[in-house]
Amino acid sequence: MKIIVVGTGFVGLPHAAVCSEYGHEVIAYDIDEKRIEAYRSGEREAIERYVNEPGLVSAMSKTSGRYLSFTTNLAEVIEGVDVVFMCLNTPPQRDGSTDLSYVTTAAHTLGELLAKRQEKSRVVIVNKSTVPIGTARLMESILNEHGVENFGVASNPEFLAQGSAIEGSRHPDRVVVGADNAEDFQLLRRVYSQFVNHVRIAYVETTPETAEAIKYMANSLLLTYISYWNGVGARLAETFPNILMEDLKVGVTADSRISKWGSYVSNGAGGSCFGKDIQSLIYQFKRAGQPTDLLQAVYGINEYQKQYIFDRAVHEAGFSFNNKTITILGLAFKKRTNDMRDSAALKAVESLLGRGVAHIRAYDPLAMDVAQSHWFHPDKNSLFERISYHESPAEALAGSDAVYISTDWEEFRGLSRTIMQTVPAPYLVMDARRMIPDYEALVAKGYDYLPVGGTLMKGEAV
Ligand code: UDX
């Protein structure tokens, strides 16, 4: 099959690489010439500057130049194409709705080119991005406007999590294909032949609207799980003495009907999908005149969770943030990524600055560059001037009054020793990821320990 992948970010590039592993001729297209040059170079560092996923570079190197190629010129490769995957950004707008401009612009470009094809064999345009219900129909009308012949539009949402995009593409839980036409289903069965009739992978053929809805429901349900654990599970263990978070988790999730995923309590879920998708779903329901109470509560609980521990620090630990120096460890929205989109650390910094802290000392093993460009402000009076960036946890801890652990990086598990060696008690440790299993050692030496999913452990007098 001849496949074009439009958009070579976190979804498009791994998808292109994995499709080419199955012997399809895959051409990955992007308007960004620098990206395409980097991908063509085959150099790890250059590729990972754009998409950093385990196994991606080796997957690309297996097929690059044979089944996998890269281009910035769609016109050159359009002839004879069977399937076009649209893997474009669908960022949120202020009112929660989805900005579809990248998708519609690409649809117009494609429409012009497909209309001029010499050979009019069947071509399917497939949406892989998360798009509002009805987007496949919208794309169909754009392609019709351009007079494209013999085409179909399908919806084939992507369920990949960051850090496991290659593994997730090779072994998905399910493949969902929404289309209108038997010929289009057939073409996509050929693309995904390794997954059709698989004993473990669900291959779902449905309408485009159902496929679009599956993605929104899956993501908002996952966020509901996380919010339930944060808003009910963690809260139980923070409110009533002698409730042990880990035991609560094991006991509740032992029921085979209850998901284990999502029970890891935290400072809320971040990333490029959950918040954006639930807001888009709320917006779509509101426009249709439907109530959105449950979804709004889930979104609200997740946002509140991103700074709730600071309220607890004031009320439970009697800590005052005014004029203090606070260390933040972890800026990325989860471990093994430098992505800070919707990260709890963003909310934390705003909240801390709003509470009058004098100085924030930040450290993250991967996200320092992203953080500096995010918080850099040309206006010298900016509050963000109060943030300094450090090379190690110890350097970031030095001279601070309290630490806030925001991301679940493995390296923070050994933090109690570093804390004891770097900052003297009395000192407050706010652990929003439950990263310090040996917190008792800290407490014994006079440090206050305040975890998500547990009551304050007051430092013992030494
Ligand atoms: C998510 C979905 O998992 C994926 O299916 C979808 O396609 C895109 O969004 P991703 O954003 O990469 O993927 O991250 P994920 O690993 O799901 O974590 C999201 C956030 O939830 C992170 O901030 C993570 O730390 C947090 N989380 C996750 C919890 O707080 N508790 C948990 O139990 C699980």
Side-chain angles (χ1 to χ4, degrees), residues 20-32:
S20 69
E21 284 183 341
Y22 297 107
H24 301 301
E25 178 193 352
V26 182
I27 302 124
Y29 160 80
D30 206 292
I31 46 170
D32 183 345

PDB file of all heavy atoms in Angstrom, residues 20-32:
ATOM      1  N   SER A  20       5.629   1.379   8.251  1.00  0.00           N
ATOM      2  CA  SER A  20       6.643   0.970   7.274  1.00  0.00           C
ATOM      3  C   SER A  20       7.265  -0.371   7.657  1.00  0.00           C
ATOM      4  O   SER A  20       7.747  -1.113   6.809  1.00  0.00           O
ATOM      5  CB  SER A  20       7.728   2.043   7.116  1.00  0.00           C
ATOM      6  OG  SER A  20       8.510   2.119   8.284  1.00  0.00           O
ATOM      7  N   GLU A  21       7.216  -0.708   8.961  1.00  0.00           N
ATOM      8  CA  GLU A  21       7.739  -2.021   9.393  1.00  0.00           C
ATOM      9  C   GLU A  21       6.942  -3.154   8.765  1.00  0.00           C
ATOM     10  O   GLU A  21       7.418  -4.268   8.647  1.00  0.00           O
ATOM     11  CB  GLU A  21       7.625  -2.159  10.923  1.00  0.00           C
ATOM     12  CG  GLU A  21       8.666  -1.379  11.684  1.00  0.00           C
ATOM     13  CD  GLU A  21       8.547  -1.603  13.193  1.00  0.00           C
ATOM     14  OE1 GLU A  21       7.477  -2.046  13.659  1.00  0.00           O
ATOM     15  OE2 GLU A  21       9.529  -1.317  13.886  1.00  0.00           O
ATOM     16  N   TYR A  22       5.667  -2.885   8.426  1.00  0.00           N
ATOM     17  CA  TYR A  22       4.828  -3.943   7.849  1.00  0.00           C
ATOM     18  C   TYR A  22       4.902  -3.966   6.337  1.00  0.00           C
ATOM     19  O   TYR A  22       4.044  -4.549   5.674  1.00  0.00           O
ATOM     20  CB  TYR A  22       3.390  -3.796   8.358  1.00  0.00           C
ATOM     21  CG  TYR A  22       3.324  -3.967   9.856  1.00  0.00           C
ATOM     22  CD1 TYR A  22       3.116  -2.891  10.689  1.00  0.00           C
ATOM     23  CD2 TYR A  22       3.550  -5.218  10.429  1.00  0.00           C
ATOM     24  CE1 TYR A  22       3.111  -3.051  12.082  1.00  0.00           C
ATOM     25  CE2 TYR A  22       3.545  -5.387  11.803  1.00  0.00           C
ATOM     26  CZ  TYR A  22       3.322  -4.306  12.623  1.00  0.00           C
ATOM     27  OH  TYR A  22       3.319  -4.459  13.980  1.00  0.00           O
ATOM     28  N   GLY A  23       5.893  -3.274   5.801  1.00  0.00           N
ATOM     29  CA  GLY A  23       6.133  -3.381   4.369  1.00  0.00           C
ATOM     30  C   GLY A  23       5.304  -2.451   3.505  1.00  0.00           C
ATOM     31  O   GLY A  23       5.315  -2.564   2.279  1.00  0.00           O
ATOM     32  N   HIS A  24       4.583  -1.511   4.127  1.00  0.00           N
ATOM     33  CA  HIS A  24       3.881  -0.521   3.319  1.00  0.00           C
ATOM     34  C   HIS A  24       4.886   0.539   2.877  1.00  0.00           C
ATOM     35  O   HIS A  24       5.883   0.784   3.564  1.00  0.00           O
ATOM     36  CB  HIS A  24       2.767   0.158   4.129  1.00  0.00           C
ATOM     37  CG  HIS A  24       1.733  -0.809   4.645  1.00  0.00           C
ATOM     38  ND1 HIS A  24       0.993  -1.601   3.799  1.00  0.00           N
ATOM     39  CD2 HIS A  24       1.325  -1.103   5.911  1.00  0.00           C
ATOM     40  CE1 HIS A  24       0.170  -2.344   4.539  1.00  0.00           C
ATOM     41  NE2 HIS A  24       0.359  -2.063   5.809  1.00  0.00           N
ATOM     42  N   GLU A  25       4.588   1.177   1.745  1.00  0.00           N
ATOM     43  CA  GLU A  25       5.437   2.298   1.324  1.00  0.00           C
ATOM     44  C   GLU A  25       4.896   3.539   2.028  1.00  0.00           C
ATOM     45  O   GLU A  25       3.767   3.963   1.759  1.00  0.00           O
ATOM     46  CB  GLU A  25       5.335   2.474  -0.202  1.00  0.00           C
ATOM     47  CG  GLU A  25       6.155   3.645  -0.695  1.00  0.00           C
ATOM     48  CD  GLU A  25       5.819   4.046  -2.149  1.00  0.00           C
ATOM     49  OE1 GLU A  25       5.052   3.313  -2.822  1.00  0.00           O
ATOM     50  OE2 GLU A  25       6.315   5.097  -2.563  1.00  0.00           O
ATOM     51  N   VAL A  26       5.671   4.084   2.958  1.00  0.00           N
ATOM     52  CA  VAL A  26       5.164   5.191   3.774  1.00  0.00           C
ATOM     53  C   VAL A  26       5.964   6.461   3.508  1.00  0.00           C
ATOM     54  O   VAL A  26       7.199   6.454   3.575  1.00  0.00           O
ATOM     55  CB  VAL A  26       5.233   4.846   5.283  1.00  0.00           C
ATOM     56  CG1 VAL A  26       4.651   5.978   6.115  1.00  0.00           C
ATOM     57  CG2 VAL A  26       4.513   3.546   5.570  1.00  0.00           C
ATOM     58  N   ILE A  27       5.246   7.526   3.209  1.00  0.00           N
ATOM     59  CA  ILE A  27       5.904   8.813   3.030  1.00  0.00           C
ATOM     60  C   ILE A  27       5.378   9.746   4.114  1.00  0.00           C
ATOM     61  O   ILE A  27       4.175   9.985   4.215  1.00  0.00           O
ATOM     62  CB  ILE A  27       5.603   9.425   1.641  1.00  0.00           C
ATOM     63  CG1 ILE A  27       6.058   8.441   0.556  1.00  0.00           C
ATOM     64  CG2 ILE A  27       6.308  10.766   1.465  1.00  0.00           C
ATOM     65  CD1 ILE A  27       4.987   8.078  -0.387  1.00  0.00           C
ATOM     66  N   ALA A  28       6.300  10.220   4.944  1.00  0.00           N
ATOM     67  CA  ALA A  28       5.898  11.116   6.028  1.00  0.00           C
ATOM     68  C   ALA A  28       6.097  12.552   5.555  1.00  0.00           C
ATOM     69  O   ALA A  28       7.188  12.926   5.116  1.00  0.00           O
ATOM     70  CB  ALA A  28       6.726  10.827   7.275  1.00  0.00           C
ATOM     71  N   TYR A  29       5.018  13.322   5.646  1.00  0.00           N
ATOM     72  CA  TYR A  29       5.051  14.694   5.133  1.00  0.00           C
ATOM     73  C   TYR A  29       4.901  15.695   6.277  1.00  0.00           C
ATOM     74  O   TYR A  29       4.112  15.482   7.204  1.00  0.00           O
ATOM     75  CB  TYR A  29       3.905  14.884   4.127  1.00  0.00           C
ATOM     76  CG  TYR A  29       3.532  16.331   3.899  1.00  0.00           C
ATOM     77  CD1 TYR A  29       4.286  17.138   3.045  1.00  0.00           C
ATOM     78  CD2 TYR A  29       2.426  16.891   4.545  1.00  0.00           C
ATOM     79  CE1 TYR A  29       3.938  18.476   2.849  1.00  0.00           C
ATOM     80  CE2 TYR A  29       2.074  18.223   4.348  1.00  0.00           C
ATOM     81  CZ  TYR A  29       2.840  19.003   3.511  1.00  0.00           C
ATOM     82  OH  TYR A  29       2.501  20.316   3.333  1.00  0.00           O
ATOM     83  N   ASP A  30       5.677  16.769   6.192  1.00  0.00           N
ATOM     84  CA  ASP A  30       5.509  17.861   7.169  1.00  0.00           C
ATOM     85  C   ASP A  30       5.865  19.169   6.464  1.00  0.00           C
ATOM     86  O   ASP A  30       6.697  19.179   5.550  1.00  0.00           O
ATOM     87  CB  ASP A  30       6.451  17.643   8.367  1.00  0.00           C
ATOM     88  CG  ASP A  30       5.909  18.306   9.617  1.00  0.00           C
ATOM     89  OD1 ASP A  30       5.871  19.557   9.656  1.00  0.00           O
ATOM     90  OD2 ASP A  30       5.501  17.578  10.544  1.00  0.00           O
ATOM     91  N   ILE A  31       5.246  20.278   6.923  1.00  0.00           N
ATOM     92  CA  ILE A  31       5.608  21.559   6.303  1.00  0.00           C
ATOM     93  C   ILE A  31       6.931  22.086   6.860  1.00  0.00           C
ATOM     94  O   ILE A  31       7.562  22.944   6.257  1.00  0.00           O
ATOM     95  CB  ILE A  31       4.526  22.667   6.503  1.00  0.00           C
ATOM     96  CG1 ILE A  31       4.060  22.688   7.958  1.00  0.00           C
ATOM     97  CG2 ILE A  31       3.362  22.501   5.546  1.00  0.00           C
ATOM     98  CD1 ILE A  31       3.191  23.900   8.276  1.00  0.00           C
ATOM     99  N   ASP A  32       7.354  21.550   8.005  1.00  0.00           N
ATOM    100  CA  ASP A  32       8.558  22.052   8.672  1.00  0.00           C
ATOM    101  C   ASP A  32       9.806  21.386   8.057  1.00  0.00           C
ATOM    102  O   ASP A  32      10.114  20.230   8.327  1.00  0.00           O
ATOM    103  CB  ASP A  32       8.426  21.724  10.172  1.00  0.00           C
ATOM    104  CG  ASP A  32       9.589  22.263  10.986  1.00  0.00           C
ATOM    105  OD1 ASP A  32      10.623  22.633  10.397  1.00  0.00           O
ATOM    106  OD2 ASP A  32       9.459  22.298  12.225  1.00  0.00           O
TER     107      ASP A  32
END
